[in-house]
Amino acid sequence: MKLKKMLIPFFAGAIALSLAACGDKDEDKEKNNATDEQAFEEMDKKLKEQRIDDDQVVVVVNDEEVTGETYNTVLQSVQLDVLQSGQDPTEGDMPENIQNQTVDVLINQALILQEAKKEKIEVKDKEFDEKYAMYIEQAGGDEEALEKALKQENTTIDKFKENIRESILFEKYQEKKVQVDEVSKEDIQKFYDDLAAESKDAEEDEEMPALEDIEDNIKTVLEQQLQQEALMKHVEKLKDASKVDIKL
């Protein structure tokens, strides 16, 4: 099974996804039976077995060491992505694929952060405060609840804040350095036609919405695809000019 290419997940988002998983776990205890809870616990245990020591050096990118602490954060995001696709992250060659994908993400992240610093891109306090407030809201508006959830995932509120700043830095770098062409009406129409054909082939009962009703959504999807493709090409150029030493 070929994993979906993930260039750079939002750093804080990776942790937020794991927090969401924790929330689902608590909800399961209330709604699901003992068998479901046991299956969740067994899967959670298997996933945690894929983590490595926080102090272990995973990869060196241009003389900058990336350790297991960062690896484990990204690993959780990749694992959850696989779970949500209906795959088992612990079966067959999936653990090796996940490890390779996680290392690839770490390399890309390190390169982007290094370049952002060279470009002297900075995160303003207001930008950070707005993003942090969003995560507090997701935690029920309680900073202590967020801190408790982070502790359960073997991380700290300070590390979480650092990840937020890095995610903003990445977004600003992408806006500055990665330019894409505007999505055309023809591109939107083709995407819609392909979607309609797939829906018809699948014999779905739901009626296909009119183009004007989902045009903005399609445009957003296509813009994101173009940005991702352009960013991947940009990072590949950075890799060619960099020294990368994988230690795993």
Side-chain angles (χ1 to χ4, degrees):
M1 174 67 184
K2 184 178 180 181
L3 292 174
K4 182 179 73 174
K5 178 68 177 178
M6 183 190 302
L7 180 60
I8 302 180
F10 294 116
F11 303 6
I15 298 179
L17 288 172
S18 68
L19 297 182
C22 289
D24 291 341
K25 179 179 177 181
D26 292 337
E27 189 175 334
D28 284 345
K29 287 184 177 180
E30 297 176 2
K31 295 183 178 180
N32 298 338
N33 57 37
T35 302
D36 292 332
E37 291 178 18
Q38 184 178 1
F40 183 98
E41 294 290 344
E42 289 175 354
M43 176 57 71
D44 187 54
K45 182 179 179 181
K46 289 180 180 179
L47 294 179
K48 287 181 177 178
E49 288 174 353
Q50 294 182 4
R51 299 181 187 179
I52 63 176
D53 292 339
D54 283 351
D55 296 332
Q56 181 177 344
V57 176
V58 177
V59 61
V60 181
V61 182
N62 293 326
D63 298 325
E64 177 185 337
E65 294 183 346
V66 182
T67 65
E69 183 179 14
T70 304
Y71 176 92
N72 291 330
T73 297
V74 175
L75 175 69
Q76 291 177 67
S77 179
V78 178
Q79 289 172 331
L80 187 57
D81 185 63
V82 173
L83 282 169
Q84 290 177 337
S85 72
Q87 303 296 311
D88 187 336
T90 67
E91 291 294 329
D93 60 357
M94 193 62 77
E96 182 179 356
N97 291 340
I98 288 174
Q99 176 178 293
N100 293 338
Q101 186 178 5
T102 302
V103 171
D104 192 45
V105 168
L106 292 175
I107 294 169
N108 297 338
Q109 288 181 173
L111 289 170
I112 289 290
L113 287 176
Q114 289 171 8
E115 290 300 309
K117 291 174 183 176
K118 289 180 183 178
E119 293 287 334
K120 300 187 184 304
I121 299 174
E122 297 180 349
V123 177
K124 297 178 181 178
D125 290 341
K126 183 180 179 181
E127 295 170 328
F128 167 80
D129 291 341
E130 290 176 354
K131 184 79 73 171
Y132 184 60
M134 181 187 71
Y135 287 113
I136 292 294
E137 184 178 349
Q138 289 179 0
D142 187 348
E143 189 172 22
E144 289 185 5
L146 174 62
E147 190 168 2
K148 183 179 179 180
L150 289 168
K151 186 175 181 181
Q152 291 176 350
E153 292 302 310
N154 298 316
T155 191
T156 65
I157 198 75
D158 289 339
K159 182 63 178 177
F160 186 64
K161 289 179 178 180
E162 180 184 341
N163 289 334
I164 292 175
R165 289 189 178 277
E166 289 178 343
S167 72
I168 298 171
L169 195 63
F170 159 68
E171 291 170 2
K172 296 181 75 169
Y173 177 85
Q174 183 176 8
E175 289 175 2
K176 181 178 180 179
K177 301 295 290 185
V178 182
Q179 307 297 323
V180 297
D181 296 331
E182 187 174 349
V183 174
S184 67
K185 289 286 187 180
E186 291 77 11
D187 292 332
I188 294 174
Q189 183 67 57
K190 183 179 185 305
F191 186 95
Y192 178 82
D193 292 342
D194 290 344
L195 194 63
E198 289 177 9
S199 177
K200 185 177 180 180
D201 290 341
E203 297 182 351
E204 295 180 359
D205 295 331
E206 255 184 76
E207 185 178 348
M208 187 73 180
L211 174 58
E212 55 265 27
D213 294 335
I214 60 174
E215 184 173 356
D216 289 343
N217 292 337
I218 292 176
K219 183 178 181 181
T220 298
V221 169
L222 292 175
E223 286 175 343
Q224 290 174 344
Q225 288 179 353
L226 288 174
Q227 289 169 354
Q228 186 78 347
E229 291 169 2
L231 184 60
M232 288 172 64
K233 291 179 181 178
H234 180 74
V235 172
E236 287 304 317
K237 291 181 179 179
L238 295 180
K239 283 182 180 178
D240 292 340
S242 301
K243 180 180 178 182
V244 177
D245 184 11
I246 300 173
K247 299 294 186 179
L248 284 183

